[in-house]
Amino acid sequence: MEHLKQLSIFIALILRHKPETIGISLDEHGWADTQALIEGIDHTGKHTINMEILEEIVRTDSKQRYSFNADKTRIRANQGHSVPVDVELQASTPPEILFHGTAEKSVASIRQEGLLPQSRLYVHLSQDIETARKVGTRHGKPHIFRVAAGEMHRQGYAFFLSVNGVWLTKAVPPAFLEDV
Ligand code: HQG
């Protein structure tokens, strides 16, 4: 299990941020060639991988981070990219309230400039406080913001729901943020 977790983290790095780490590239929609991914990871000598293991990761990953195409010849991350790809996200009407978990050290700056995507393509928002707390804890002592997503949407801001249930938007101005 631990090996699969480590391997999934490595695959996230490749499919969201640095495909060049194993000498592969992503197409404009974020797809990598499945065989090239397997061979590239295998050549690092750091992980045991084959199609069966990759299928297990896609099926069991705790956040459903990856998808295959229909015939499984290609694979991509569902969201979270820093490289500019278009994963054909679906624009949707968000719930009235979403949440964003961050670290206390970022709070002053967020109150001033709002939420910015930083190194990623979008700001990531959670549907519940518990998930937001987990996301924030990755960065330090957590702080949760309530995001007036419904109001933003009515004012014309676009929201997208990734296939693994993460809400994404380009930025959140401070006026739509409140402390939880
Ligand atoms: C912060 C994980 C200062 C923001 C999670 C966050 C998520 C600002 C950090 C996904 C700021 C960026 C994404 C501003 C935003 N001033 N700091 N104006 N605006 N920030 O990792 O949302 O496991 O890029 O609060 O579950 O933490 O990778 O974003 O703390 O869904 O699948 O800048 O990553 O999923 O950090 O996490 P990140 P995130 P995975």
Side-chain angles (χ1 to χ4, degrees):
M1 247 4 245
E2 192 49 37
H3 168 253
L4 287 190
K5 222 170 138 188
Q6 289 305 318
L7 182 52
S8 185
I9 288 168
F10 187 45
I11 292 172
L13 172 83
I14 296 164
L15 294 181
R16 289 170 168 175
H17 311 295
K18 292 185 171 180
E20 68 275 11
T21 311
I22 57 160
I24 67 167
S25 52
L26 308 181
D27 76 7
E28 59 177 320
H29 296 303
W31 294 110
D33 182 85
T34 306
Q35 213 47 47
L37 178 77
I38 291 174
E39 280 165 24
I41 293 174
D42 192 44
H43 285 159
T44 65
K46 290 182 188 149
H47 299 274
T48 307
I49 184 161
N50 54 39
M51 187 60 182
E52 214 185 331
I53 292 173
L54 188 60
E55 283 176 326
E56 185 174 349
I57 286 176
V58 172
R59 194 176 59 244
T60 63
D61 179 77
S62 59
K63 295 184 183 173
Q64 292 292 296
R65 293 177 176 92
Y66 319 105
S67 295
F68 284 116
N69 65 342
D71 64 6
K72 300 191 178 175
T73 53
R74 293 184 298 163
I75 181 170
R76 70 180 173 191
N78 292 321
Q79 41 68 232
H81 299 80
S82 56
V83 294
V85 294
D86 168 14
V87 292
E88 301 147 296
L89 290 165
Q90 209 189 322
S92 315
T93 303
E96 204 51 38
I97 299 296
L98 286 167
F99 299 93
H100 179 86
T102 189
E104 275 187 356
K105 60 178 184 279
S106 304
V107 168
S109 156
I110 291 172
R111 282 191 184 127
Q112 205 163 8
E113 45 187 33
L115 290 170
L116 300 173
Q118 309 292 40
S119 65
R120 302 194 198 240
L121 300 178
Y122 296 94
V123 169
H124 289 224
L125 303 172
S126 310
Q127 311 217 27
D128 58 272
I129 294 184
E130 255 335 288
T131 306
R133 194 179 313 281
K134 279 187 202 151
V135 174
T137 305
R138 289 162 54 252
H139 299 286
K141 189 154 185 273
H143 178 95
I144 320 284
F145 283 106
R146 186 181 287 115
V147 177
E151 186 52 31
M152 280 181 74
H153 188 253
R154 285 188 287 280
Q155 292 190 25
Y157 292 85
F159 283 77
F160 304 90
L161 182 57
S162 71
V163 302
N164 60 335
V166 179
W167 282 96
L168 306 165
T169 191
K170 271 289 168 201
V172 179
F176 299 101
L177 292 170
E178 252 179 32
D179 294 327
V180 164

